[in-house]
């Protein structure tokens, strides 16, 4: 177990004066391994490198380009195993809300510090630091793949589509599936998308990856349609896919080749990826696909900042409330407020709403009471391979027959 004074600490704050003060305070407390970054991108580069990945991050919430909340999202994507302390000049309520968000993402958070930071409070929080549990079990998770490895995985068709059902809350009807890609790695087993999508994006492979996912998904949609299952098939589209007008031709041509109508294809675009970038070309592509009757869905709604602007600019048909605001929302005022606001805004804009991350019966009951249209989550089904889908449909029908959509009161 590392000695507390050996903890590798990274401070992320756009205020370089603050970086100096905090570094000095930590040094005075005997903590020598302290690095600092004045922006989120540089900090993520350190986290991606096993030599510089910190055990503990002191994170400023308010930073001009990538703010603290967005930064936390990238930590989650990377399955960051260390701990976090939030530092901010914001009021108590803001810090508490941010803390809840971090908890919802299951990142160990030691606490939060108000600016100006007092050395005693800092020392007291650092005292709480513990090394991550059972690090040996986490080893395979930390293996980093190169773009070249991923390229050969794409060529060798090691990327396999899984499908997670979306059901209508009022009736339990299965209306569609979301395609979620996994890597069937020849030696490492099942590798989840959080560990390779960003590598595909950075390594210029995302078009190849999406093309493979889309081809498999549309071939599967055709099989389902031919067997009488009219399912809408959703695909996750990366912002980088929307950088070139070729993408639209790819989607249109594959739909025609497989005889799948655009109305049965949903393109899920993550809102946080839409922010900040030049949105003109993506906007044109999305609008043209929408004109051709493809369905557009705004994914992970509520996790970014320009949610409203995206809703104004892009003609989405569907809004997916992020799982962080769904699971356990029935018991948490803050989550509930965000869930309610997202739901009512979507309804007013005439959009259909999918709640993600429906993990247990309490979540399901909450959706039924609040009038959400569709639900997706492990309570209904984990993502499945296509071969297991029919068996699941039978089990699900059994659960419906046993009273899942009957009101208890
Ligand atoms: P997402 O689009 O938000 O997908 C939902 C994620 O939530 C999936 O994780 C799903 O397995 C997980 N999930 C579903 N129900 C529950 C639940 O009840 N509890 C919890 N805790 N989690 C649940 P997964 O499959 O690991 O995918 C992670 C992300 O990777 C996706 O998030 C999506 O952004 C990205 N992704 C997956 N496939 C693709 C793809 O083909 N292309 C692109 N660009 N991104 C993809
Ligand atoms: Ca999605
Ligand atoms: Ca999502």
């Amino acid at each position: 177990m590392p000695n507390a004074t050996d903890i590798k600490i990274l401070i992320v704050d756009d205020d370089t004066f603050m970086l100096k003060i905090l570094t000095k305070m930590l040094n005075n407390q005997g903590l020598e391994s302290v690095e600092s970054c004045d922006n989120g991108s540089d900090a993520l580069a350190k986290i991606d490198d096993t030599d510089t990945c910190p055990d503990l991050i002191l994170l400023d919430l308010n930073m001009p380009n990538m703010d603290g909340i967005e930064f936390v999202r990238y930590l989650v994507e990377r399955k960051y195993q260390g701990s976090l302390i939030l530092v901010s000049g914001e009021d108590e309520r803001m810090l508490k809300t941010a803390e809840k968000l971090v908890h919802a993402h299951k990142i160990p958070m030691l606490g939060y510090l108000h600016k100006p930071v007092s050395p005693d409070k800092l020392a007291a929080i650092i005292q709480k630091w513990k090394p991550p549990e059972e690090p040996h079990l986490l080893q395979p998770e930390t293996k980093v793949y190169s773009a070249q490895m991923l390229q050969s995985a794409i060529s060798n068709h090691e990327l396999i589509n899984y499908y997670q059902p979306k059901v209508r809350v009022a009736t339990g009807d299965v209306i569609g599936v979301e395609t979620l890609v996994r890597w069937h790695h020849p030696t490492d087993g099942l590798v989840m998308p959080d560990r390779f999508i960003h590598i595909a994006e950075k390594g210029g492979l995302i078009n190849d990856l999406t093309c493979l996912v889309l081809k498999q998904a549309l071939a599967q949609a055709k099989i389902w349609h031919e067997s009488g299952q009219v399912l809408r098939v959703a695909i996750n589209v990366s912002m980088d896919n929307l950088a070139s007008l070729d993408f639209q031709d790819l989607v249109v041509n594959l739909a025609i080749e497989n005889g799948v109508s655009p109305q049965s294809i949903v393109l899920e675009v993550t809102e946080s990826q839409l922010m900040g970038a030049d949105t003109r070309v993506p906007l044109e592509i999305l609008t043209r696909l929408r004109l051709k009757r493809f369905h557009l869905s705004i994914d992970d709604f509520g996790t970014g900042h320009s949610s409203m602007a995206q809703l104004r600019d892009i003609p989405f048909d569907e809004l997916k409330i992020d799982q962080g605001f769904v699971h356990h929302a029935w018991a948490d005022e803050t989550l509930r407020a965000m869930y309610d606001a997202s739901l009512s805004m979507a309804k007013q804009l005439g959009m259909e709403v999918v709640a993600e991350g429906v993990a247990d019966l309490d979540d399901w009951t909450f959706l039924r009471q609040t009038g959400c249209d569709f639900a997706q989550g492990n309570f209904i089904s984990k993502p499945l391979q296509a071969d297991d889908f029919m068996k699941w449909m039978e089990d699900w029908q059994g659960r419906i027959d046993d009273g899942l959509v009957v009101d208890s009161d």
Side-chain angles (χ1 to χ4, degrees), residues 118-158:
S118 95
D120 292 348
K121 288 217 168 107
L122 177 64
I125 288 192
I126 301 255
Q127 282 291 317
K128 295 196 216 161
W129 183 82
K130 281 198 255 72
E133 280 167 22
E134 304 187 60
H136 58 283
L137 285 182
L138 300 169
Q139 264 310 308
E141 292 277 296
T142 53
K143 177 169 171 186
V144 178
Y145 297 101
S146 69
Q148 212 176 10
M149 290 166 171
L150 190 57
Q151 170 75 74
S152 63
I154 295 172
S155 316
N156 298 335
H157 286 239
E158 286 166 18

Side-chain angles (χ1 to χ4, degrees), residues 214-361:
L214 197 58
K215 275 187 182 160
Q216 289 184 58
L218 293 187
Q220 186 57 48
K222 186 179 180 196
I223 295 173
W224 279 323
H225 292 183
E226 283 172 355
S227 73
Q229 296 291 339
V230 187
L231 295 171
R232 264 191 222 162
V233 176
I235 311 278
N236 287 289
V237 170
S238 161
M239 189 63 187
D240 297 340
N241 291 132
L242 301 173
S244 140
L245 296 171
D246 296 343
F247 180 72
Q248 157 190 284
D249 298 335
L250 174 79
V251 177
V252 171
N253 292 337
L254 282 175
I256 294 170
E257 270 170 39
N258 288 284
V260 179
S261 73
Q263 285 97 325
S264 301
I265 301 170
V266 184
L267 304 170
E268 293 190 7
V269 187
T270 299
E271 170 213 26
S272 63
Q273 284 178 305
L274 285 170
M275 323 185 332
D278 179 356
T279 51
R280 272 169 304 181
V281 175
L283 190 73
E284 179 180 337
I285 297 176
L286 289 173
T287 309
R288 285 164 71 180
L289 286 166
R290 179 74 180 79
L291 280 171
K292 293 186 191 302
R293 300 286 177 264
F294 288 89
H295 279 252
L296 302 182
S297 173
I298 183 164
D299 203 354
D300 302 335
F301 187 77
T303 60
H305 282 269
S306 56
S307 340
M308 306 283 192
Q310 306 310 340
L311 284 181
R312 181 196 60 207
D313 294 340
I314 302 172
F316 289 106
D317 313 83
E318 178 185 278
L319 179 149
K320 296 189 83 174
I321 306 180
D322 187 66
Q323 50 180 282
F325 305 115
V326 173
H327 176 49
H328 222 242
W330 57 274
D332 184 310
E333 271 175 39
T334 311
L335 299 186
R336 166 92 202 223
M338 297 192 194
Y339 169 93
D340 284 342
S342 308
L343 184 69
S344 89
M345 187 160 56
K347 294 266 174 187
Q348 284 177 44
L349 293 171
M351 298 163 74
E352 293 186 308
V353 185
V354 183
E356 295 191 284
V358 179
D360 53 35
L361 182 61

